Amino acid sequence: MIELKTPAEIQRMHVAGRFVAEVLSEVGQLADVGVNLLDLEHHVRGMIKRCGAESCYWDYAPSFGRGPFRNVICLSVNDAVLHGLPHDYTLRDGDVLSADLAVSVDGWVADSARTVVVGTAAEEDLRIIRATEEALEAAIEMARPGNRLGDISAAIWAVAHDYGYPVNTEFGGHGLGRTMHEEPHVSNKGRAGRGLTLRPGLTLALEPWFARTTDRIVYDADGWTIRSADGSRTAHSEHTIAITEDAPLVLTRREPEDTVTRGDSTSPLSTKDA
């Protein structure tokens, strides 16, 4: 069942969305050479607690995971792209970090992801990040009443195709609202003019993610972390959006000056100068 949200309910989701945007901006600022993923995880736990929000990931136990997820943010490095389980890993110069966060505030959910480069950025890493960001913006532009779900999927695929990146269809976007995952599923590849007709009140998490040279994935032994099958680097961009009578409303938009490169100043979590 697809639940359309009222304008008042969308505004409540927007409260959660602004908080998610704030957390992901701070994670990007803190991600630096010498920072441990577990320190980022615990920093985000503190932000969630102080806000009075609830993590949508804690105790999440889908069919593909190994036991309940016992962290509040997904942190995926380099060839890892989805569901990265925070672990004892210290970020290195040139690492690509994808951070994915979903929280509930007063019973309403927002979900977003972004990818940054730690320290020295290779052009090929910036390129794949740009591709996911452009695909996300193209998808958002198609999220208008009267369009079809396939128009969103086709827009994502077209950007990937232009960049020369293959597209995996096992994991994609989704509806959300009162819970993190609702209908419909939003594939990152599809045909324009097909699928569900978009209506005002539909709220979606759109999340293009690409690997450089493969559309196949493998799982880590932890049962959660998903990597490109050939070890090529990856990127992931996601926003929660609401379809309105007018333009699509992005509920998790970050500040414009927020960038994808980090490491020009020492993070308070860094141990590189210790």
Side-chain angles (χ1 to χ4, degrees):
M1 176 180 290
I2 295 174
E3 179 187 11
L4 299 179
K5 314 309 189 289
T6 67
E9 290 170 338
I10 290 171
Q11 284 307 308
R12 293 178 70 182
M13 290 180 66
H14 205 170
V15 172
R18 285 192 288 265
F19 174 69
V20 168
E22 176 188 348
V23 175
L24 288 182
S25 288
E26 189 152 334
V27 168
Q29 292 163 8
L30 292 171
D32 196 1
V33 177
V35 171
N36 193 288
L37 297 184
L38 292 178
D39 290 331
L40 288 174
E41 156 75 19
H42 285 283
H43 185 83
V44 175
R45 287 190 194 189
M47 293 186 73
I48 290 173
K49 182 177 181 179
R50 289 190 294 274
C51 174
E54 294 184 10
S55 169
C56 294
Y57 295 160
W58 191 268
D59 277 343
Y60 179 52
S63 59
F64 56 81
R66 180 175 298 172
F69 198 84
R70 287 301 178 93
N71 295 90
V72 300
I73 189 169
C74 294
L75 297 172
S76 306
V77 180
N78 295 334
D79 59 327
V81 64
L82 298 175
H83 309 155
L85 194 69
H87 60 287
D88 184 12
Y89 176 82
T90 299
L91 292 170
R92 303 168 184 172
D93 187 47
D95 276 348
V96 175
L97 174 68
S98 294
D100 190 351
L101 179 71
V103 303
S104 173
V105 176
D106 295 328
W108 293 93
V109 173
D111 188 2
S112 185
R114 49 100 53 102
T115 300
V116 299
V117 179
V118 177
T120 308
E123 177 53 37
E124 56 265 31
D125 294 331
L126 296 176
R127 185 176 187 270
I128 194 169
I129 294 172
R130 281 198 304 270
T132 62
E133 291 176 341
E134 290 178 18
L136 179 56
E137 293 304 319
I140 292 169
E141 180 60 29
M142 299 307 297
R144 297 176 182 272
N147 284 352
R148 298 294 189 105
L149 200 62
D151 296 326
I152 292 176
S153 300
I156 293 171
W157 181 83
V159 173
H161 179 74
D162 287 346
Y163 272 87
Y165 297 129
V167 175
N168 176 281
T169 57
E170 295 172 70
F171 291 93
H174 50 90
L176 76 172
R178 299 178 191 272
T179 62
M180 178 171 59
H181 287 127
E182 299 179 355
E183 293 295 329
H185 171 73
V186 187
S187 176
N188 286 331
K189 184 176 182 179
R191 297 180 63 182
R194 300 292 184 90
L196 177 77
T197 299
L198 306 180
R199 297 169 57 190
L202 182 62
T203 49
L204 301 170
L206 306 179
E207 49 179 315
W209 62 272
F210 309 141
R212 283 188 201 161
T213 54
T214 184
D215 60 1
R216 295 178 54 247
I217 57 174
V218 293
Y219 288 79
D220 275 7
D222 62 35
W224 284 101
T225 306
I226 295 177
R227 300 181 183 273
S228 63
D230 64 358
S232 60
R233 288 195 168 189
T234 63
H236 179 201
S237 294
E238 177 183 17
H239 275 313
T240 294
I241 64 104
I243 296 171
T244 73
E245 295 286 355
D246 300 311
L249 179 62
V250 181
L251 305 182
T252 51
R253 182 75 75 188
R254 296 183 301 277
E255 293 298 322
E257 64 269 18
D258 198 7
T259 66
V260 301
T261 54
R262 295 290 175 248
D264 53 347
S265 61
T266 301
S267 164
L269 301 182
S270 176
T271 59
K272 66 182 181 181
D273 296 324

